[in-house]
C-alpha cells in the first residue's frame, strides 16, 4: 500500500519531528516524510532530518515582503514534494487564511494542552497557575483561528504539586511523541473523517476507567 507522504514544518528543536521520523522507520507504518521545512535556518530539527536522510528546505520568512509571499513559497515547496499531509511540529509562525484554506483537512498541528483549554503560548505555566489537576496535548486539524480545529487525538497527564513548567512540559512532551505518530497513522489509514467541525475516528478504541488527581 502506498504510504501517505508527509511534509513536516518546524521552527526549532524538532523532537516531534524526531518522533515521526522514528515511526516512519518501521516499514509497516503507513506514512513517510518527504520533506522537512524550516523557517529558521538554524532549527535543530534540520539536523535530525538530515541524519535520517529526509530532504530539508529552509524558507526564511524574513526573506519575503509579506506573509502571503512567504506562505506561497511554502505551498510551492510542499506541492513539489508531493506531500498529502502537512504536519506542523513546533512551527512558530501563524499561518494565514490562504494557506489554511489551500491545505484544509490536510494540515494538522500538535499543541501542548488539552484543547480547547489553554490555547496559545506558555501553556504549562498557565496550567500550573490555574491549579488544574491535568495537563496534556492535542493533535488537531488546523483552522484559521489559532489552536482551533477538529481534534484527532489527545493525551492527558497529571499535574503534580511539585511541578514546575519544565517538569510538566517534559511529562507532556513524552506524550506528544506518542500521539503525533498515532494521529498521523489514523489519517494515513483513512480512519479519520470530518463531520461538521468534529473529527470522527473509525474503529477508535477508547480507554476504560478514569484518572483522578489527587488519587482518592
Ligand atoms: C511542542 O511542545 C509542541 O506541542 C509545540 O511546540 C513544541 C515543539 O517542540 N507546538 P519540538 O520542536 O517538536 O521539540
Amino acid at each position: 500500500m502506498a504510504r501517505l507522504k508527509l511534509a513536516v514544518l518546524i521552527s526549532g528543536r524538532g523532537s516531534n519531528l524526531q518522533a515521526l521520523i522514528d515511526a516512519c522507520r518501521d516499514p509497516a507504518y503507513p506514512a513517510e516524510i518527504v520533506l522537512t521545512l524550516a523557517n529558521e535556518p538554524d532549527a535543530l530539527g534540520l539536523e535530525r532530518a538530515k541524519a535520517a536522510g529526509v530532504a530539508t528546505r529552509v524558507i526564511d520568512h524574513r526573506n519575503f515582503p509579506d506573509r502571503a509571499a512567504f506562505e506561497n513559497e511554502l505551498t510551492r515547496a510542499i506541492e513539489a514534494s508531493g506531500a498529502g499531509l502537512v504536519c506542523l511540529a513546533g512551527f512558530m509562525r501563524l499561518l494565514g487564511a490562504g494557506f489554511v484554506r489551500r491545505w484544509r483537512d490536510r494540515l494538522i498541528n500538535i499543541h501542548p494542552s488539552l484543547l480547547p483549554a489553554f490555547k496559545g503560548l506558555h501553556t504549562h505555566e498557565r496550567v500550573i497557575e490555574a491549579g488544574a489537576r491535568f495537563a496534556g496535548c492535542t493533535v488537531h486539524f488546523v483552522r484559521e483561528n489559532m489552536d482551533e480545529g477538529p481534534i484527532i487525538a489527545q493525551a492527558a497527564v497529571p499535574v503534580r504539586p511539585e511541578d514546575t513548567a519544565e517538569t510538566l512540559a517534559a511529562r507532556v512532551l513524552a506524550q506528544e511523541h506518542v500521539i503525533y505518530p498515532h494521529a498521523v497513522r489514523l489519517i494515513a489509514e483513512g480512519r479519520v473523517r470530518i463531520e461538521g467541525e468534529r473529527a470522527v475516528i473509525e474503529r477508535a478504541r477508547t480507554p476504560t476507567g478514569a484518572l483522578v488527581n489527587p488519587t482518592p
Side-chain angles (χ1 to χ4, degrees), residues 49-111:
K50 284 176 195 159
V54 171
T56 61
R57 168 96 192 268
V58 174
I59 300 179
D60 187 336
H61 57 280
R62 286 162 287 238
N63 295 339
F64 296 83
D66 54 31
R67 186 159 78 177
F70 166 62
E71 292 177 359
N72 285 339
E73 190 58 26
L74 290 180
T75 286
R76 268 195 289 274
I78 297 164
E79 283 172 347
S81 76
L85 182 68
V86 181
C87 304
L88 306 180
F91 187 70
M92 299 306 284
R93 305 295 299 172
L94 284 179
L95 292 163
F99 186 89
V100 171
R101 217 177 301 122
R102 168 66 185 80
W103 297 102
R104 191 180 167 92
D105 299 345
R106 288 185 297 151
L107 174 61
I108 64 176
N109 180 45
I110 182 142
H111 179 76

Side-chain angles (χ1 to χ4, degrees), residues 111-119 123-124 127 135-138 154-155 172:
H111 179 76
S113 79
L114 290 171
L115 292 174
F118 300 106
K119 296 171 182 170
T123 51
H124 309 300
V127 162
C137 47
T138 304
Q154 292 187 310
V172 171

Side-chain angles (χ1 to χ4, degrees), residues 105-191:
D105 299 345
R106 288 185 297 151
L107 174 61
I108 64 176
N109 180 45
I110 182 142
H111 179 76
S113 79
L114 290 171
L115 292 174
F118 300 106
K119 296 171 182 170
L121 296 174
H122 311 298
T123 51
H124 309 300
E125 285 89 337
R126 289 190 287 132
V127 162
I128 291 171
E129 178 87 358
R133 288 336 189 215
F134 290 98
C137 47
T138 304
V139 180
H140 64 99
F141 288 102
V142 174
R143 293 293 184 253
E144 249 178 77
N145 291 337
M146 189 184 63
D147 300 328
E148 282 185 20
I151 291 170
I152 304 160
Q154 292 187 310
V157 303
V159 180
R160 298 184 178 282
E162 65 276 18
D163 265 333
T164 62
E166 288 69 32
T167 59
L168 182 56
R171 193 172 311 122
V172 171
L173 190 65
Q175 297 309 313
E176 294 185 35
H177 300 160
V178 173
I179 66 167
Y180 215 173
H182 177 46
V184 168
R185 172 192 284 280
L186 293 171
I187 294 170
E189 290 177 345
R191 292 166 60 189

